[in-house]
C-alpha cells in the first residue's frame, strides 16, 4: 500500500512538472517578452520604454538556464516553476492587480453559479430519467428520446443567446448581465444562467441515466425476483440490501 501511494505521488509530481513545462513553452512560443511589453505600452512605445518595462516586470531575464553557453540561475523557467509551485501568481502585466486577488474575487460568483447548477442538473435529470425508464417502450419513452436528441442538437451558445434576448432583453424578466454579492439580489442574477445550464444539459444526462436505469432493471437478480413473485417494494429496496450484505 505504501509503495502504491509513493508511486502515485511520484507520478503526480511528474505530471504537474510536465504540465507547467508545457504551459511555459506554449506561452513564450505565442508571445515573446517584447510582444507582451508592446501590448501593455502600445505599439508606438519606444525601445527604451519597452526595455524598462521588461526590467520592471522581470522579463529581461533569459528564458532558459543555459544562456549563451553559461548557466544562469536567474531565468524565466526557474522563476515560472518557483512561482507556480508556491502559488505565488504575481500581478497582472497590464494593471498590476494581484492574480490571487482576482481569483479570490471571482470565487464567490463562480461557486454561487456552479453549485446550484450542479445540484439542480443532477436532481432534475434523475427524476426525468426515472420517469422515462418506467414507461420504457411506450410513446412517453419515444417522446423523451426525441426531446433529448433535439436538446443535444442545439448548441449551448445559441441557447444562451436566444434565452438572453427573449427573457432578459425583450421581456426584461431578469437582468441581462451582472452580479450582486448581497443575498437579496444575488438570486435575481443567477436564475437565468442556472435555468439555461440545466436545460442545456438535460438531453445528454437524461439519455445516459435512462440507459443506466433500464440496464439495472434487467439484471439477473431483478428478473429472478420477479419470477419468484417478489413485490415492487422488495425488488427496489430489499434485494439491493441483501446483495450488499452477502457481498460484505
Amino acid at each position: 500500500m505504501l509503495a502504491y501511494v509513493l508511486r502515485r505521488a511520484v507520478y503526480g509530481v511528474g505530471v504537474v512538472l510536465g504540465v507547467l513545462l508545457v504551459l511555459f513553452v506554449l506561452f513564450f512560443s505565442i508571445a515573446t517578452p517584447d510582444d507582451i511589453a508592446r501590448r501593455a505600452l502600445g505599439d508606438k512605445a519606444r525601445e527604451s520604454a519597452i526595455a524598462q518595462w521588461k526590467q520592471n516586470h522581470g522579463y529581461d531575464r533569459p528564458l532558459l538556464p543555459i544562456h549563451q553557453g553559461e548557466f544562469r540561475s536567474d531565468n524565466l523557467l526557474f522563476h515560472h516553476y518557483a512561482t507556480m509551485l508556491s502559488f505565488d501568481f504575481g500581478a497582472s502585466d497590464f494593471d498590476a492587480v494581484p492574480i490571487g486577488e482576482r481569483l479570490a474575487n471571482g470565487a464567490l460568483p463562480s461557486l454561487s453559479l456552479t453549485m446550484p447548477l450542479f445540484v439542480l442538473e443532477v436532481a432534475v435529470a434523475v427524476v426525468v430519467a426515472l420517469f422515462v425508464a418506467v414507461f420504457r417502450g411506450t410513446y412517453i419513452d419515444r417522446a423523451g428520446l426525441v426531446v433529448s436528441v433535439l436538446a443535444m442538437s442545439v448548441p449551448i451558445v445559441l441557447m444562451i443567446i436566444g434565452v438572453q434576448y427573449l427573457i432578459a432583453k425583450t421581456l426584461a424578466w431578469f437582468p441581462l448581465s451582472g452580479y450582486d454579492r448581497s443575498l437579496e439580489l444575488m438570486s435575481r442574477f443567477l436564475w437565468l444562467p442556472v435555468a439555461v445550464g440545466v436545460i442545456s444539459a438535460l438531453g445528454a444526462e437524461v439519455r445516459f441515466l435512462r440507459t443506466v436505469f433500464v440496464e439495472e432493471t434487467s439484471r439477473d437478480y431483478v428478473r429472478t425476483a420477479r419470477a419468484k413473485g417478489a413485490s415492487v417494494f422488495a425488488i427496489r429496496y430489499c434485494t439491493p440490501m441483501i446483495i450488499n450484505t452477502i457481498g460484505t
Side-chain angles (χ1 to χ4, degrees):
M1 181 64 182
L2 180 60
Y4 174 78
V5 173
L6 293 177
R7 186 167 62 252
R8 300 306 300 179
V10 172
Y11 289 163
V13 172
V15 170
V16 171
L17 296 179
V19 169
L20 291 179
L21 179 60
V22 171
L23 291 177
F24 179 84
V25 173
L26 290 177
F27 181 81
F28 285 103
S29 62
I30 296 174
T32 63
D34 291 338
D35 296 333
I36 300 173
R38 288 190 176 90
R39 290 177 184 176
L41 300 177
D43 295 334
K44 298 182 180 180
R46 297 180 178 179
E47 293 296 331
S48 59
I50 293 177
Q52 184 63 41
W53 187 93
K54 291 194 299 182
Q55 182 179 0
N56 295 337
H57 292 80
Y59 286 105
D60 59 332
R61 293 170 289 189
L63 289 177
L64 303 176
I66 305 299
H67 180 67
Q68 296 180 352
E70 298 181 358
F71 178 80
R72 294 282 301 274
S73 59
D74 186 17
N75 57 83
L76 291 176
L77 180 60
F78 285 179
H79 178 73
H80 170 72
Y81 274 107
T83 54
M84 292 297 102
L85 295 177
S86 61
F87 299 99
D88 181 15
F89 304 116
S92 173
D93 293 332
F94 297 96
D95 52 13
V97 177
I99 303 300
E101 181 180 341
R102 286 190 171 179
L103 293 177
N105 293 334
L108 179 60
S110 298
L111 289 176
S112 61
L113 174 63
T114 55
M115 291 303 295
L117 176 59
F118 173 76
V119 174
L120 290 176
E121 176 185 331
V122 172
V124 175
V126 168
V127 172
V128 175
L130 283 174
F131 178 78
V132 175
V134 169
F135 296 96
R136 62 184 181 276
T138 63
Y139 70 94
I140 296 179
D141 187 18
R142 290 190 289 272
L145 172 62
V146 173
V147 174
S148 298
V149 172
L150 289 177
M152 295 167 60
S153 303
V154 178
I156 185 173
V157 176
L158 181 61
M159 187 178 298
I160 292 174
I161 295 175
V163 171
Q164 280 186 325
Y165 180 81
L166 177 62
I167 304 299
K169 185 177 181 179
T170 304
L171 300 178
W173 289 354
F174 296 98
L176 185 61
S177 61
Y179 184 80
D180 197 298
R181 292 180 177 271
S182 62
L183 297 178
E184 295 80 6
L185 299 176
M186 183 186 300
S187 60
R188 181 168 178 79
F189 291 93
L190 295 177
W191 276 115
L192 187 60
V194 168
V196 173
V198 171
I199 295 173
S200 62
L202 274 184
E205 293 290 336
V206 169
R207 294 306 304 161
F208 172 75
L209 293 176
R210 183 261 182 197
T211 303
V212 172
F213 295 150
V214 171
E215 289 182 355
E216 190 64 27
T217 57
S218 302
R219 298 288 185 180
D220 293 339
Y221 72 89
V222 176
R223 293 200 301 266
T224 303
R226 288 177 176 174
K228 296 293 184 179
S231 63
V232 176
F233 176 84
I235 294 175
R236 290 182 178 178
Y237 300 101
C238 299
T239 306
M241 295 174 57
I242 296 174
I243 293 176
N244 293 334
T245 303
I246 295 176
T248 55

